[in-house]
Amino acid sequence: MKLSAIAAATLTAAVAVPASAEISDGKVKIGILNDQSGVYADFGGKWSFEAAKMAAEDFGGKVLDAPIEIVTADHQNKPDIASNIARQWYDREQVDSIMELTTSSVALAVQGISKSKKKINLVTGAATTELTGKQCSPYGFHWAYDTHALAVGTGGALVSQGGDSWYFLTADYAFGYSLEEQTSKFVKSKGGEVKGAVRHPLASTDYSSFLLQAQSSGAKVIGLANAGLDTANSIKQAAEFGIVAGGQRLAALLFTLAEVHGLGLDAAQGLTLTESFYWDRDDKSREFGERFFKRTGRMPNMVHAGTYSGVMQYLKAIEKAGTDATEPVAKAMHELPVDDVFARNAKVGANGRLISDVYLMEVKKPEESSRPWDYYKVLATVPGDEAYIKPADSGCELVGQ
């Protein structure tokens, strides 16, 4: 197994404080497991690790008098590598909870391991609704976004604006399938038509054949059911083929501030997308964004801010439960409301899904941006109860128990 260098931050004073008897192993240890070297390195990556450290620091560096430790590793978008790291962390390195988990196939694998070992996992970087659907876990939580919220936001907006025929360019793994399926359902429910789809391997470099198929479909909207560099490269190559100039629209179904920054406003302008966080939305988000910028040199996207929120919720739950034992902490995570820099007046559903508002965004034209990272216009707010599948309809066996 190839394991990336693991960075650790132990947030304690120089003199160790005796840990509470209610804390196992004398500390609370959280693992941030994600892609730090591949197509999603900016999407989450080391920046999510920084967000997690910020949360631990803001909490005071300890909980119930026990030090908080944050560790991280690169799963390289491979479920087998992620699974091996998760087992090593749980079995030999005293990790209490694993979070972030970019890439749906990875998140599902690690959630399965966490469930079997009765450990809490919290996903902010993966999108599939299966995490809180048929593969839900009493110890699993899903923060930030999912494919249903993206479909309701971006898909609904474009259909209402006349984009009523779609063709999908889809990443060939669980996340892409789920995003295509959810968006297709929503497009059809609004009276739209899906003309077809083509699938591409993760981390492709040449999208020409896929884009030509999408172009020849005659669909008004080409839905990019991919993420990270896959989406950015799709957009760049679509420009070379004159797809948008020819009258078709591109819908970036999962595209965040990090990818807009990497692509630049010249290429990204006019894209419609959905995020559950924007640093420049209000005073609270701006304050967090500016603190994050000072330590990273970039503004946070929804994955980074969601990771901060998830770590804070976990630490608050330990404090409320008076222990880091899994069952009472999971119960407290469900009971506690979420009102922080990421989400306002949000709640955790019985299936582990955080139900919070999401925002329909349009990427600004270069002349509309007044300063660095001023990239979005907020077109609409989609209430959490509309954005996410109702727990009772999610297929999760835990609902109603």
Side-chain angles (χ1 to χ4, degrees):
M1 175 188 72
K2 180 181 178 183
L3 178 60
S4 71
I6 297 180
T10 305
L11 305 165
T12 58
V15 178
V17 178
S20 165
E22 301 301 320
I23 298 295
S24 60
D25 307 314
K27 62 183 178 297
V28 171
K29 193 170 182 179
I30 301 168
I32 303 300
L33 182 57
N34 60 11
D35 174 16
Q36 298 177 14
S37 57
V39 294
Y40 303 137
D42 281 344
F43 180 76
K46 63 184 179 181
W47 317 115
S48 291
F49 179 44
E50 289 299 322
K53 290 193 291 183
M54 281 181 69
E57 290 164 8
D58 288 351
F59 203 81
K62 60 184 179 179
V63 58
L64 299 181
D65 290 328
I68 303 164
E69 186 176 345
I70 313 291
V71 298
T72 191
D74 182 356
H75 61 47
Q76 303 172 56
N77 294 311
K78 297 177 180 177
D80 58 337
I81 290 177
S83 297
N84 287 336
I85 294 170
R87 291 190 182 96
Q88 178 179 315
W89 275 358
Y90 286 147
D91 295 343
R92 298 198 293 274
E93 298 185 22
Q94 300 175 337
V95 169
D96 299 295
S97 175
I98 297 177
M99 301 190 188
E100 218 271 41
L101 294 168
T102 307
T103 312
S104 292
S105 54
V106 164
L108 290 167
V110 174
Q111 179 155 293
I113 292 168
S114 301
K115 182 178 180 180
S116 69
K117 294 183 178 294
K118 295 189 175 180
K119 297 284 191 177
I120 287 171
N121 72 279
L122 188 146
V123 178
T124 56
T128 178
T129 54
E130 285 295 290
L131 289 160
T132 50
K134 292 180 180 178
Q135 297 190 51
C136 68
S137 163
Y139 318 118
F141 298 86
H142 198 179
W143 246 239
Y145 74 103
D146 65 20
T147 50
H148 188 270
L150 298 175
V152 171
T154 308
L158 290 182
V159 172
S160 67
Q161 293 174 13
D164 55 5
S165 61
W166 286 61
Y167 190 94
F168 289 92
L169 192 69
T170 302
D172 193 10
Y173 74 108
F175 153 72
Y177 311 150
S178 182
L179 186 52
E180 178 190 324
E181 179 186 12
Q182 294 286 344
T183 307
S184 295
K185 286 180 179 178
F186 201 78
V187 167
K188 291 174 182 177
S189 75
K190 296 295 181 181
E193 175 191 6
V194 176
K195 292 198 168 189
V198 62
R199 292 174 174 173
H200 68 79
L202 181 67
S204 293
T205 56
D206 184 2
Y207 298 86
S208 56
S209 64
F210 311 121
L211 286 165
L212 287 171
Q213 289 182 63
Q215 187 177 39
S216 64
S217 73
K220 294 178 182 177
V221 179
I222 298 173
L224 302 177
N226 48 21
L229 288 177
D230 282 333
T231 306
N233 289 331
S234 299
I235 293 168
K236 288 178 184 177
Q237 292 181 30
E240 295 171 7
F241 286 106
I243 287 177
V244 175
Q248 290 174 296
R249 302 183 69 171
L250 293 179
L253 297 173
L254 177 51
F255 209 57
T256 76
L257 195 74
E259 290 75 52
V260 172
H261 181 72
L263 191 58
L265 290 183
D266 283 335
Q269 61 181 303
L271 284 173
T272 303
L273 54 89
T274 298
E275 285 209 58
S276 52
F277 174 86
Y278 181 41
W279 73 269
D280 202 19
R281 193 174 68 84
D282 58 27
D283 289 341
K284 205 169 184 179
S285 60
R286 276 188 287 273
E287 187 274 336
F288 174 75
E290 287 163 2
R291 288 199 297 123
F292 188 86
F293 184 87
K294 284 180 180 178
R295 65 191 291 160
T296 65
R298 61 176 51 224
M299 287 297 182
N301 65 10
M302 63 180 174
V303 177
H304 309 139
T307 299
Y308 176 93
S309 174
V311 171
M312 289 293 286
Q313 182 78 354
Y314 178 60
L315 296 174
K316 289 175 183 177
I318 291 172
E319 187 173 64
K320 182 180 191 301
T323 176
D324 67 346
T326 297
E327 298 284 355
V329 171
K331 182 174 183 292
M333 287 187 70
H334 280 281
E335 293 173 347
L336 287 168
V338 180
D339 194 340
D340 56 23
V341 299
F342 173 74
R344 311 286 188 272
N345 303 312
K347 59 189 177 183
V348 180
N351 60 346
R353 173 69 255 174
L354 177 67
I355 301 169
S356 63
D357 295 346
V358 301
Y359 307 100
L360 178 65
M361 314 285 197
E362 181 178 281
V363 178
K364 291 182 175 182
K365 298 175 182 177
E367 62 269 22
E368 294 174 324
S369 178
S370 61
R371 61 194 184 282
W373 297 94
D374 174 27
Y375 294 159
Y376 289 162
K377 291 184 286 187
V378 180
L379 300 181
T381 299
V382 182
D385 287 334
E386 296 178 18
Y388 293 102
I389 299 171
K390 290 179 173 56
D393 298 329
S394 67
C396 174
E397 63 183 5
L398 302 171
V399 180
Q401 291 185 4

